[in-house]
Amino acid sequence: MPLVYQSTRDENNRVTASQAILQGLAQDGGLFTPIAMPAVSLDFDQLQQASYQEVARLVLGAFLDDFTPEEIDHCIRHAYDDKFDTPAIAEVVSVDGHYNLELFHGATIAFKDMALSILPHLLTTAAKKQGVTNKIVILTATSGDTGKAAMAGFEDVPGTEIIVFYPHGGVSKIQELQMTTQTGQNTHVVAIDGNFDDAQTNVKHMFNDVALREKMAARGLQFSSANSMNIGRLVPQIVYYVYAYAQLVKQGVVAAGDPINITVPTGNFGNILAAYYAKLIGLPVAKLICASNENKVLTDFFHSKTYDKKREFKVTTSPSMDILVSSNLERLIFHLVGNDASRTKALMEALVEKGEYSLLEGIDDSIFDLFEAGYADEQATATEIKRVYEQDHYVEDPHTAVASAVYVAYRTASQDQTPTVVASTASPYKFPRVTVEAVTGQAPADDFAAVDSLVELSGVAIPKAVQGLQDAPVRHETVVAAQDMQTEVERYLGI
Ligand SMILES: *Cc1c(COP(=O)(O)O)cnc(C)c1O
């Protein structure tokens, strides 16, 4: 019996892993979620010697159990190769009393590469398995990093088109150029006059639009999603937590079985949910620390058990976390209410209708005990970048700095000395102006002047992803109103 992936909003909507990956989002608006964890044997005496690819084979094989071992292997080989600038794929480095898990060694220097370099292969393999001959149209809302990482993964992959929406003015110059200079015959980038939540809401709306789906099908097209709502994004993210623990065993930081904490700078709640799943399959995790920026809706949720999105949206220096509706939290909610789809659906409807919901009774409180939550405001984030630099000559990007600031505050308050992994989600080269200003106190003239300063400050060479960006031709210049996103999709696809 293959593992069951069930929609969080309909207990009768149950599919296998490959079907879930192909659909992306459930048509009822829910998210496909495993209702039981697969058995995975985590033998760290052995895993400490394993390569990233070997750990991936173990974890992906268990979760994506209707793929053959050969199919899994094919996907891993095409994903985790020399697109990454280190053979380790992810690095675990000691920084100021914690361990930064560097997830930014891929093609676009943000952690999204970890999953998006394999998703296109999982998706096209799944389509073949399911006998699908339609062209797959990937529709993606991005707060800055997903879009580029998804296009890098899908560029010129036969049988696919990818359309990316990002908030105009809501991303860094480097992020914007990375997207607007994207090559590939099947890539389309659109800026919207609106924020990330507007982009995400309209993408979800298009997915759930039956008339649009029928119109697409008549032309041999179907949607799928590269957003972290796709289980094909989430499962590859479990891998690096297992890998990081194995590295800590190898480095002698912990003995196999000793607990660690994991701190994650959180936006859409995908990365930290993967850490939760790593715990559920047996990774010894004591605390999961959910770090937010000034858009601290999750901090408030974990403290009050009420999710309240009715607040001002703030544009911060950690834009990939500027989110008020964290889509993947729906999966945690589903588990919190005992995998009850009708209750989850009612809560999600309340969020749309009233802007909030509460979980005051009938929930699994052990989940709330596992999570700690905190936030770092803009000042605290900049201060943390400078502090870490002065301690260790290591430059953290603003997202990582949010996490490390929240972790240090937690450690100080709790006196918890458990070895802690901080998910380091972007290279400082992706946000050079902010990081250089935080360290030096002086605003660089522009992103590219900042890149030059960063070389001097950090001693880390300029990554391939940034070299040449300044002179690359801009290929995508469309800007539309948020409510015109669907019109733009129809125009691009010619439907
Ligand atoms: C996407 C992103 C995050 C947030 O991750 P979620 O899985 O959405 O919680 C944090 N940092 C960076 C750099 C990102 O790109």
Side-chain angles (χ1 to χ4, degrees), residues 110-112 145 265-271 320-321 399 425-426:
F111 96 97
K112 305 288 195 294
D145 290 332
T266 296
N268 233 347
F269 209 76
N271 203 3
S320 301
M321 299 158 69
H399 304 76
T425 50

Side-chain angles (χ1 to χ4, degrees), residues 218-344:
R219 304 282 165 79
L221 301 166
Q222 73 185 57
F223 283 136
S224 189
S225 163
N227 275 96
S228 56
M229 288 89 92
N230 191 321
I231 197 76
R233 279 280 300 279
L234 211 50
V235 171
Q237 295 179 355
I238 301 169
V239 174
Y240 46 72
Y241 292 112
V242 176
Y243 179 76
Y245 188 89
Q247 296 311 299
L248 291 180
V249 173
K250 188 176 181 178
Q251 293 174 17
V253 175
V254 294
D258 288 352
I260 61 165
N261 296 332
I262 298 174
T263 306
V264 184
T266 296
N268 233 347
F269 209 76
N271 203 3
I272 195 166
L273 187 70
Y276 175 60
Y277 285 157
K279 178 180 169 73
L280 293 186
I281 60 168
L283 197 72
V285 178
K287 286 285 182 193
L288 288 170
I289 303 166
C290 175
S292 300
N293 64 22
E294 288 179 1
N295 294 293
K296 62 179 182 63
V297 63
L298 288 166
T299 309
D300 295 343
F301 169 70
F302 281 109
H303 292 163
S304 68
K305 300 184 184 179
T306 293
Y307 194 96
D308 183 356
K309 69 165 185 176
K310 302 186 303 299
R311 60 184 76 205
E312 190 194 338
F313 180 93
K314 306 220 168 118
V315 174
T316 73
T317 51
S318 44
S320 301
M321 299 158 69
D322 289 347
I323 291 174
L324 293 180
V325 181
S326 292
S327 293
N328 269 296
L329 187 69
E330 178 165 343
R331 289 187 164 111
L332 190 78
I333 300 298
F334 176 70
H335 299 314
L336 270 162
V337 300
N339 294 356
D340 180 338
S342 54
R343 197 167 162 206
T344 307

Side-chain angles (χ1 to χ4, degrees), residues 154-192:
F154 280 96
E155 177 177 0
D156 291 331
V157 171
T160 68
E161 288 284 343
I162 173 161
I163 306 172
V164 167
F165 296 96
Y166 73 93
H168 199 210
V171 302
S172 83
K173 187 71 197 162
I174 296 270
Q175 284 179 311
E176 181 162 52
L177 277 175
Q178 278 190 315
M179 287 191 279
T180 57
T181 61
Q182 175 67 44
T183 52
Q185 288 307 306
N186 63 339
T187 61
H188 188 51
V189 180
V190 183
I192 67 154

Side-chain angles (χ1 to χ4, degrees), residues 403-422:
S404 88
V406 167
Y407 166 62
V408 171
Y410 163 77
R411 186 179 58 194
T412 305
S414 66
Q415 293 295 309
D416 180 355
Q417 299 299 325
T418 308
T420 295
V421 167
V422 171

